[in-house]
Amino acid sequence: MADQHTILLVGESNVGKTHYGAQFLKRLMVKACALQMRGAPTNLEAFTTALGCLTEGRATDHTPASNYVESVWPIRDDSGRSADLVWPDYGGEQVRNLVTERRIPPTWRERTVQATDWVVLIRLHSLRSEEDLFSRPLQTFAAVAAQNEHAAFEPSDQARIIELLQMLLYLAQSSLDRPLHKPRLTILLSCWDELRTAELPPDLLAARLPMFWAFVRSNWSSPSVIGLSALEKALSKTDPDADYAIRGPEEFGYVILPNGERSNDITLPIRQLMAEAT
């Protein structure tokens, strides 16, 4: 019997996890992707609620910070490979709190230990831009340092994401003596449409988050970086988008593969992990 493969989806607040889950589910429902259900999924409430909003052409609300619900989707690809996609729906603030509080809740601990694959969602557009000595005169840094002398220290966005991965690696008891083959790592650059770029996803990540990318490349044997636009365009929570309502949400969304190829099958990142698992 093949090993059981579990995919852990990680992302901070406002990176589009719930929208991606709803669009993923819709693709499975209408059989408009390379994957299909091989059994009944569990606990779809959060995603069906979001899907109801998208069907009307509206964006859904963010998941409350205190929520943590797991939905298990038994899936199979067109080559007969199967997996249980465990999709945790949680408030993204929980991820930030893991780092700031240095404490891992039991639900996260159990899921991290069991996971064979990690998918990390990063929304580059919402991260703070880093400034260095090459972009600003030295004296400006001295002035800011004096102003913030008594302010609470807050790590940069890059440092926070790196520390999160380090904490998860510690829980998974993964040795960093050599580049990791397990858990496999896929980085999804979410809301790709708002970036308005023609760069390849790995190149853009290296340019925007060089320290984070250096950490990933140093510790994983073959990390994958993929652009994701789950909705393809911005939606309002109050004003319905007519195209969505008429054509259906499954007609929207795409991924940009590492080589720049575009595909409307937003389930491809998961399919690739299933293929690599063999």
Side-chain angles (χ1 to χ4, degrees), residues 218-236:
S218 297
N219 291 293
W220 271 272
S221 61
S222 54
S224 179
V225 184
I226 298 174
L228 166 68
S229 178
L231 302 182
E232 197 163 333
K233 56 181 176 179
L235 295 179
S236 167

Side-chain angles (χ1 to χ4, degrees), residues 93-276:
E93 294 83 357
Q94 290 187 30
V95 178
R96 185 181 290 261
N97 290 341
L98 294 180
V99 176
T100 57
E101 297 177 3
R102 302 291 199 278
R103 183 167 52 87
I104 306 293
T107 48
W108 277 89
R109 186 185 306 273
E110 180 181 355
R111 182 53 56 209
T112 301
V113 170
Q114 293 176 355
T116 58
D117 308 275
W118 296 355
V119 177
V120 178
L121 278 82
I122 296 176
R123 187 177 181 181
L124 291 176
H125 190 71
S126 65
L127 296 182
R128 294 170 295 178
S129 59
E130 304 295 337
E131 294 181 306
D132 54 29
L133 297 179
F134 298 100
S135 59
R136 288 174 55 189
L138 181 60
Q139 58 266 29
T140 63
F141 284 93
V144 171
Q147 294 175 6
N148 297 334
E149 183 176 357
H150 301 292
F153 171 75
E154 183 179 356
S156 69
D157 290 329
Q158 286 195 88
R160 189 179 63 253
I161 300 172
I162 291 171
E163 188 161 357
L164 171 65
L165 288 183
Q166 288 177 320
M167 292 175 69
L168 296 180
L169 286 170
Y170 175 78
L171 281 182
Q173 298 181 343
S174 298
S175 172
L176 298 181
D177 294 340
R178 60 182 63 87
L180 294 168
H181 294 277
K182 180 182 178 183
R184 286 169 296 277
L185 178 66
T186 294
I187 299 169
L188 294 184
L189 302 181
S190 65
C191 303
W192 184 265
D193 54 287
E194 69 186 5
L195 297 173
R196 302 185 184 281
T197 180
E199 285 192 75
L200 299 178
D203 295 342
L204 184 63
L205 180 61
R208 296 285 188 92
L209 302 178
M211 183 171 67
F212 171 74
W213 183 229
F215 172 80
V216 168
R217 294 196 64 186
S218 297
N219 291 293
W220 271 272
S221 61
S222 54
S224 179
V225 184
I226 298 174
L228 166 68
S229 178
L231 302 182
E232 197 163 333
K233 56 181 176 179
L235 295 179
S236 167
K237 293 181 181 179
T238 55
D239 300 324
D241 184 281
D243 283 345
Y244 259 76
I246 294 171
R247 296 169 56 191
E250 69 272 17
E251 295 295 324
F252 296 88
Y254 61 87
V255 292
I256 302 295
L257 300 179
N259 62 1
E261 178 184 349
R262 172 170 167 156
S263 172
N264 293 332
D265 185 356
I266 61 171
T267 69
L268 272 180
I270 304 302
R271 183 191 182 195
Q272 288 185 349
L273 284 173
M274 293 170 65
E276 292 170 3

Side-chain angles (χ1 to χ4, degrees), residues 25-75:
L25 179 62
K26 183 65 174 180
R27 296 297 206 280
L28 293 172
M29 292 170 61
V30 302
K31 301 180 180 179
C33 64
L35 299 176
Q36 59 182 309
M37 289 287 192
R38 58 177 175 83
T42 65
N43 207 353
L44 291 177
E45 181 179 355
F47 302 102
T48 53
T49 298
L51 189 52
C53 292
L54 295 181
T55 302
E56 298 174 357
R58 298 183 295 108
T60 190
D61 289 325
H62 297 300
T63 303
S66 59
N67 277 24
Y68 186 97
V69 179
E70 288 189 349
S71 182
V72 181
W73 305 0
I75 55 177

Side-chain angles (χ1 to χ4, degrees), residues 9-27:
L9 194 78
V10 179
E12 293 187 336
S13 179
N14 201 33
V15 297
K17 296 184 306 297
T18 304
H19 280 144
Y20 182 41
Q23 285 286 64
F24 198 114
L25 179 62
K26 183 65 174 180
R27 296 297 206 280

